[in-house]
Amino acid sequence: MTSTARSFSHRGIAFGCDYNPEQWTPDVWDEDIALMTEAGVDLVAVNIFGWSHIEPRSGEFDFARLDEIIRLLHAAGIRINLGTATASPPAWLTRRYPEILPMAEDGTRRYQGGRQAWCPSSPLFRDAALRLVEAVARRYGDHPAVELWHVSNELGCHNALCYCDVSADSFRFWLHRRYGTLEALNTAWGTAFWSQTYSEWDEILPPRATLSSRNPAQSLDFHRFSSDELLGYYRAETEVIRRFSDKPVTTNFMVTAHIENMDYWSWAADMDVIANDHYLDGRLADSTAELAFAADLSRGLSGGAPWILMEHSTGAVNWQPLNLAKAPGQLLRNSLTHVARGADGVCFFQWRASLQGSEKFHSAMLPHAGTDTDLWREVVELGGIVERLEEVAGTRVEAHAALVFSWESWWATQTESRPSQAVGYLDQVHAAYGALHAAGITVDVVAPGADLSDYRLVVVPGLHLLRAAEAAVLTDWIAAGGIALVTYYSGTVDEQDRVWAGGYTGPLREALGIRVEEFAPVAPGETLTLTDGSSATLWSERSRVTTAAVAASFADGPSQGRPAITRNAWGDGEAWYAATHLAPDAYRSLIERLADAADVRPAAPATGADGALEVVRRRGSDTSYLFVVNHGSAAASVQASGTELITGMPVAGVAQVPGGAVRIVREELVA
Ligand code: GAL
């Protein structure tokens, strides 16, 4: 069941924040509103963690403070993104019903005192939460300032996988619906292995901690179940809201590094507008490219339509081992990169930096040091620029290349016993995306099996779990003239994590024109050399070509002499395969070669700031906008003509983009 979509309509690009006024005394609120107005804030999320404030005791509601906050925001013309307040249960609830508390895989409970301490399958939690949602929706459902509903908060951020008895029951119910019979389940999970055959449904458990590695098919289904369970919860809240309000409903996704538990491809259709939270992760090799990837994936979830950046940070976060401050200008570059890649909203966690609580060292729009700060001045500058981009809202990003991404493959790749613990799914995706990004190619991120007819180049990194039907979409598209690059470990298992026999890459084998006989991973830190002089790491394969031509072989390592990069003519197209983890420069060269063959070019020719420049085009019905983000310190120039929206200056032929700057050119008729 999916909800009936309502469209999110905001004037221009939304500029906003989470606002948690309950952390402050009322004398601060007037100043907050005045400063929001100064900064150009026009969309504010409230009541996200409001439960214990608006229902301080079971069934006793007190909306006085929220009424006042909403009144103040409305009077200032600020639109409201209204939280349902269910993100974090109050202490009275978990004290009365401790069985609501989630259970970790080792059987230990997670207690009150942090946030999100609830089991996604708990009927007791759901009853209490829906009663609250009803009270909130009844009160504010037709309030003129409410522009959007914000269900819970980052569903599954901490509590996605719960292993308690209630979850176990719900898991069994889900499995029964999926398989119908125990025989079918036993076959799907391969329970003949290690004497795991089930003869009663009640014998089945969530994949709790075991002595040895767990059944990987069971773990895979538990991931699917857990994602579905939270989506079911989202739907339950949405149904209550719908009884009182016709405003659009969403929740904030976490398309960001390391969060893997929700299969957002299956959630997206339920959102009236896709909203994403993104935080730079200083632990990544290239967090700038990861930001671009997350933005492109958010747009993919939105089917190409604009989406909202619901949270990001003005500066450091507080939850990484080392929390990096943003460099001067980085706030602007990060924010406008999201806009370049399809965001029609730029919002932050949070408005005013907390003085207390776990997030007191998290940056905010208004820092502890107040308004006489560089950070505040950058926030105000950004607000002014966002306002000038009103005409960009609603336009769509232009891309002729796609990258296939799958949460199911992520889960299947990460199972406990595998060829190399050093090979992770997201690393492969980031490496592929990083090569496209460095080559300046704009990509759409799509689900396996998605229609590829809009694209000329498709990259498929490490798509470990692959259904025959999904493979057929890809190989048919290649046969019709497409150029695809598939990388190692793809097509290894089917939907049930059962190995595709007869040579790895399974249902892609024929189109790729190779047979992979054996995996031969290499230790992290070791470098492989290929016959074309490029280097690679982590992985090699012992394969033989059937019909493919060898573009490069392994010159050393455990697969010496075997093909490393191959190209197979398939119908009117070309199926390329990389059997190793190419070093970034080699990956980029390969992508550039393929993009050239596919006639896929950067959005506009550019010189200078090599690798540090992002150039992306958003296109409307009668005009287009060229976004140029210069992450480097050297100046760059980009071919463009029209009017630059940040400076208001005309651009005739070439836009100069100083180091660290962003330029957005409204283009004169680009065909
Ligand atoms: C998000 C969350 C916010 C805040 C933020 C800090 O996960 O939705 O409430 O905690 O992270 O980075």
Side-chain angles (χ1 to χ4, degrees):
M1 181 221 64
T2 56
S3 56
T4 318
R6 269 89 172 147
S7 58
F8 171 69
S9 55
H10 186 90
R11 192 184 57 81
I13 308 275
F15 188 58
C17 52
D18 281 17
Y19 182 36
N20 299 302
E22 58 276 4
Q23 295 177 16
W24 303 88
T25 46
D27 53 299
V28 179
W29 301 347
D30 284 334
E31 186 195 32
D32 282 337
I33 306 278
L35 290 174
M36 283 178 188
T37 305
E38 181 184 331
V41 165
D42 61 7
L43 180 68
V44 161
V46 290
N47 197 38
I48 291 178
F49 293 101
W51 197 337
S52 69
H53 299 279
I54 59 179
E55 191 184 6
R57 273 166 294 277
S58 180
E60 233 178 70
F61 293 100
D62 176 1
F63 288 106
R65 176 168 28 200
L66 189 55
D67 284 353
E68 178 60 6
I69 297 296
I70 289 178
R71 189 190 68 73
L72 287 171
L73 290 166
H74 183 40
I78 296 171
R79 313 293 290 152
I80 292 173
N81 171 19
L82 188 57
T84 56
T86 55
S88 215
W92 58 255
L93 182 67
T94 51
R95 177 162 175 253
R96 181 181 295 181
Y97 304 114
E99 58 271 53
I100 284 176
L101 295 169
M103 183 178 275
E105 60 180 3
D106 64 357
T108 55
R109 293 278 180 188
R110 293 295 176 264
Y111 292 95
Q112 186 72 32
R115 66 176 177 185
Q116 223 175 49
W118 54 277
C119 159
S121 300
S122 167
L124 289 169
F125 176 79
R126 191 176 287 202
D127 284 354
L130 296 187
R131 185 179 57 176
L132 175 71
V133 175
E134 177 169 342
V136 174
R138 187 188 295 278
R139 191 168 190 91
Y140 303 110
D142 56 7
H143 194 289
V146 173
E147 187 168 88
L148 183 63
W149 286 95
H150 185 293
V151 166
S152 189
N153 189 61
E154 292 190 340
L155 284 163
C157 178
H158 312 285
N159 66 344
L161 306 178
C162 176
Y163 297 80
C164 75
D165 288 343
V166 175
S167 299
D169 264 343
S170 203
F171 183 38
R172 286 189 281 266
F173 182 72
W174 183 92
L175 290 166
H176 195 274
R177 266 205 324 225
R178 183 174 173 89
Y179 294 110
T181 66
L182 273 177
E183 290 68 28
L185 178 138
N186 279 314
T187 305
W189 284 11
T191 54
F193 180 79
W194 281 356
S195 187
Q196 291 173 349
T197 309
Y198 296 102
S199 42
E200 300 280 347
W201 286 98
D202 284 350
E203 294 164 4
I204 302 170
L205 295 173
R208 291 183 180 151
T210 47
L211 290 171
S212 65
S213 53
R214 284 160 273 203
N215 183 321
Q218 178 188 8
S219 298
L220 180 61
D221 270 345
F222 188 63
H223 270 293
R224 292 185 174 121
F225 154 77
S226 301
S227 175
D228 286 357
E229 201 73 341
L230 283 163
L231 174 58
Y233 176 80
Y234 172 84
R235 287 174 176 165
E237 280 209 19
T238 302
E239 274 170 30
V240 175
I241 295 168
R242 285 276 174 267
R243 293 187 356 236
F244 302 96
S245 174
D246 61 359
K247 304 290 168 58
V249 181
T250 192
T251 190
N252 40 349
F253 286 179
M254 294 164 285
V255 174
T256 191
H258 309 306
I259 302 272
E260 65 174 83
N261 288 323
M262 277 62 62
D263 179 357
Y264 289 133
W265 291 127
S266 69
W267 288 43
D270 278 86
M271 307 296 130
D272 290 332
V273 57
I274 295 293
N276 192 46
D277 293 354
H278 183 270
Y279 291 96
L280 283 181
D281 194 327
R283 294 164 288 192
L284 296 172
D286 187 351
S287 58
T288 302
E290 191 277 331
L291 182 154
F293 167 71
D296 287 348
L297 177 49
S298 301
R299 184 178 73 254
L301 289 161
S302 193
W307 51 281
I308 302 174
L309 177 65
M310 192 64 97
E311 287 181 22
H312 71 153
S313 67
T314 57
V317 297
N318 66 314
W319 42 263
Q320 293 171 20
L322 170 66
N323 297 295
L324 301 174
K326 289 193 178 181
Q330 196 181 357
L331 166 60
L332 188 74
R333 292 191 293 278
N334 288 168
S335 299
L336 295 180
T337 300
H338 285 288
V339 176
R341 295 178 185 277
D344 271 6
V346 172
C347 304
F348 294 90
F349 175 85
Q350 62 176 330
W351 165 249
R352 185 186 275 269
S354 303
L355 299 181
Q356 293 176 290
S358 292
E359 294 183 323
K360 62 181 179 296
F361 294 124
H362 194 291
S363 60
M365 295 177 92
L366 181 57
H368 289 148
T371 52
D372 186 13
T373 50
D374 289 348
L375 198 147
W376 172 253
R377 284 182 279 274
E378 284 202 41
V379 165
V380 174
E381 182 196 3
L382 175 64
I385 291 172
V386 166
E387 177 139 25
R388 264 170 272 158
L389 300 184
E390 181 176 343
E391 60 185 281
V392 175
T395 59
R396 290 184 169 228
V397 172
E398 183 175 78
H400 303 296
L403 181 147
V404 179
F405 178 82
S406 152
W407 275 276
E408 287 189 317
S409 265
W410 192 347
W411 301 333
T413 301
Q414 308 294 125
T415 52
E416 290 159 291
S417 300
R418 57 190 208 257
S420 169
Q421 296 286 340
V423 171
Y425 177 66
L426 202 60
D427 296 339
Q428 292 184 68
V429 170
H430 285 166
Y433 186 88
L436 287 152
H437 188 254
I441 309 290
T442 309
V443 283
D444 282 348
V445 183
V446 300
D451 177 18
L452 300 173
S453 51
D454 282 349
Y455 307 110
R456 301 198 286 269
L457 173 69
V458 171
V459 180
V460 185
L463 194 64
H464 183 61
L465 183 155
L466 187 60
R467 293 169 176 84
E470 293 163 354
V473 170
L474 179 66
T475 55
D476 289 353
W477 171 83
I478 299 170
I483 296 185
L485 171 65
V486 176
T487 78
Y488 67 99
Y489 212 36
S490 289
T492 312
V493 298
D494 69 8
E495 183 181 4
Q496 293 310 330
D497 200 46
R498 187 191 294 112
V499 169
W500 284 106
Y504 302 123
T505 70
L508 297 174
R509 197 167 52 225
E510 219 191 317
L512 293 171
I514 52 159
R515 256 185 95 238
V516 181
E517 297 173 12
E518 193 178 354
F519 297 142
V522 298
E526 269 181 40
T527 302
L528 299 169
T529 309
L530 309 189
T531 50
D532 65 359
S534 54
S535 54
T537 54
L538 292 176
W539 192 264
S540 77
E541 288 174 356
R542 294 171 179 166
S543 65
R544 291 184 197 283
V545 292
T546 48
T547 55
V550 177
S553 305
F554 291 102
D556 54 21
S559 303
Q560 188 175 9
R562 302 302 188 108
I565 301 173
T566 54
R567 170 188 168 277
N568 194 42
W570 184 250
D572 293 338
E574 294 175 19
W576 288 73
Y577 184 66
T580 188
H581 197 84
L582 292 169
D585 53 345
Y587 216 149
R588 175 180 171 171
S589 308
L590 181 61
I591 289 285
E592 281 173 345
R593 180 172 167 187
L594 270 53
D596 196 46
D599 195 24
V600 171
R601 318 266 160 217
T607 52
D610 186 46
L613 207 61
E614 294 190 64
V615 185
V616 179
R617 177 172 289 112
R618 284 183 70 159
R619 207 179 259 284
S621 46
D622 50 12
T623 181
S624 60
Y625 300 89
L626 193 72
F627 283 73
V628 189
V629 182
N630 187 350
H631 298 281
S633 49
S637 21
V638 176
Q639 204 172 295
S641 290
T643 305
E644 204 288 311
L645 298 182
I646 295 180
T647 58
M649 300 296 285
V651 178
V654 176
Q656 304 294 345
V657 188
V662 181
R663 293 291 178 260
I664 303 163
V665 181
R666 183 204 299 122
E667 296 179 300
E668 282 159 9
L669 288 179
V670 171

